[in-house]
Amino acid sequence: LRPGMVCSTWAMLLNLGFGLVLVLGVPIPGWNGLGFHACPWITTAVEYVQLFILWYFFCYRRQLHRECWPGWSKEHITRERVMSFMRLYWPAALSLGEAFWRVAIIGAVAKSLGDLNVGIWNAGYRICWIALTFLGSLAGAMAIKLGISLGEGNARASKRVCQTCVMLIVIVLVILSVVLITMPRQCGMIFSHDEDFLDVFEEVRWSFAAFTALMNFATAIETILTTVGRNKTVLYAGLAGSWIGQVPCVFLFTMYWRKDLVGLYAGAAAGYGLLCVLYVIAIMRLDWNELIVEAHRRSEKS
């Protein structure tokens, strides 16, 4: 975990530092910077710097990769390994792709509600991602411990890891939801101090909190299924949650209930609620002993 933490921290600091100087001109007197056209160049350059830090300090200098990767060899690439990888890759890629299409369609509905509402939708989605940094960290830690437990062949420990992580996820989501409901204007001020913007942000606080909580819960527990190799289940559940639940509910709620962000967030939350139910059912039906056998087979552990 340390290499990732160090690299991402340096990337964040470099992105912030160069962004302030080159984009906004801070703190150079009399210069307003290059504007937001410089943002993609800065981000791209920082990504390469991050890659260099990872290679030079942790691979070239400290040789941390040697225990798990001996180097390039054609002998490592076999038909069985490629097929095992592809069985996990394609469902994951398609699942990610359909998620982008779903968000694009909901964004189009938000755009039809007016400039102010689409601005709040975009800001709200950023808040969802801020919340996801907390939940994603928990899910990432769970994935590591779950992988270790499966590798050790310990079904009971694997279930305990998942149960503990889900409990922590629920606690964090309750705290975040309370913050969104009780301090909506303060959350909105992260992006704007416009009174009309903040008024609408306060009006949608309940449906937005439900949307944020269910989105983050679904994303977090999805990690359980992907860690144990159930990527097809994630794909099918995602398709149902998106195209049977979320997108139709957004259209129905905004057309026949409230044509505003309250209706949009409520419809999106309903879709995520369906996705959460499908994920929970799938997780409860997991055979942990079978998962251990599959994990050992994929890792070629005798």
Side-chain angles (χ1 to χ4, degrees):
L1 292 179
R2 181 174 174 79
M5 181 191 70
V6 172
C7 292
S8 59
T9 300
W10 273 105
M12 177 190 67
L13 294 174
L14 290 171
N15 220 329
L16 177 62
F18 284 109
L20 289 173
V21 176
L22 298 179
V23 176
L24 301 177
V26 178
I28 302 174
W31 189 51
N32 295 324
L34 300 174
F36 284 96
H37 296 292
C39 283
W41 293 101
I42 294 171
T43 301
T44 301
V46 168
E47 288 295 328
Y48 281 105
V49 171
Q50 186 177 8
L51 178 62
F52 173 78
I53 293 173
L54 177 65
W55 168 78
Y56 182 74
F57 289 101
F58 297 105
C59 294
Y60 179 73
R61 293 286 298 274
R62 300 188 62 183
Q63 299 288 310
L64 296 183
H65 65 287
R66 281 189 173 276
E67 293 184 9
C68 57
W69 184 56
W72 299 102
S73 174
K74 290 183 179 180
E75 296 178 356
H76 297 161
I77 304 174
T78 64
R79 184 179 182 277
E80 291 75 14
R81 290 172 179 172
V82 171
M83 293 303 298
S84 177
F85 172 80
M86 297 304 287
R87 281 191 291 268
L88 297 175
Y89 168 78
W90 281 114
L94 293 172
S95 180
L96 184 61
E98 71 85 16
F100 282 126
W101 279 106
R102 179 196 69 229
V103 173
I105 291 174
I106 297 175
V109 176
K111 183 179 179 181
S112 71
L113 302 177
D115 292 340
L116 178 60
N117 285 323
V118 74
I120 294 171
W121 161 257
N122 287 328
Y125 214 78
R126 298 300 176 271
I127 290 177
C128 285
W129 280 97
I130 292 172
L132 192 58
T133 59
F134 299 99
L135 279 304
S137 299
L138 283 173
M142 178 210 63
I144 294 172
K145 294 186 70 66
L146 178 56
I148 293 173
S149 298
L150 291 173
E152 293 175 344
N154 194 331
R156 180 176 297 180
S158 300
K159 289 189 287 186
R160 186 170 61 248
V161 166
C162 294
Q163 292 167 353
T164 303
C165 185
V166 170
M167 180 182 67
L168 292 173
I169 287 169
V170 170
I171 292 172
V172 173
L173 282 176
V174 169
I175 296 172
L176 292 173
S177 298
V178 170
V179 171
L180 292 175
I181 292 170
T182 58
M183 296 188 295
R185 300 183 76 86
Q186 288 81 353
C187 294
M189 286 180 185
I190 297 173
F191 303 96
S192 175
H193 287 76
D194 180 78
E195 287 299 322
D196 293 334
F197 180 95
L198 297 177
D199 288 342
V200 177
F201 217 94
E202 185 173 12
E203 181 185 3
V204 304
R205 65 187 184 277
W206 288 99
S207 57
F208 175 63
F211 167 76
T212 303
L214 291 170
M215 172 201 170
N216 278 273
F217 185 70
T219 304
I221 64 173
E222 176 185 297
T223 306
I224 297 174
L225 295 169
T226 56
T227 301
V228 300
R230 290 296 184 264
N231 290 15
K232 282 187 178 180
T233 302
V234 171
L235 173 61
Y236 297 146
L239 289 170
S242 295
W243 307 104
I244 297 176
Q246 197 167 97
V247 172
C249 283
V250 166
F251 279 107
L252 290 172
F253 283 31
T254 54
M255 290 175 63
Y256 298 106
W257 179 43
R258 292 187 55 156
K259 191 174 178 60
D260 58 12
L261 281 181
V262 174
L264 186 144
Y265 278 131
Y272 273 123
L274 172 61
L275 182 60
C276 288
V277 170
L278 295 174
Y279 279 167
V280 169
I281 292 173
I283 292 169
M284 292 177 64
R285 296 178 61 183
L286 291 175
D287 184 334
W288 292 96
N289 291 314
E290 180 184 349
L291 294 175
I292 289 171
V293 173
E294 292 178 3
H296 287 184
R297 186 185 303 122
R298 282 194 299 270
S299 63
E300 302 175 15
K301 179 178 180 181
S302 58

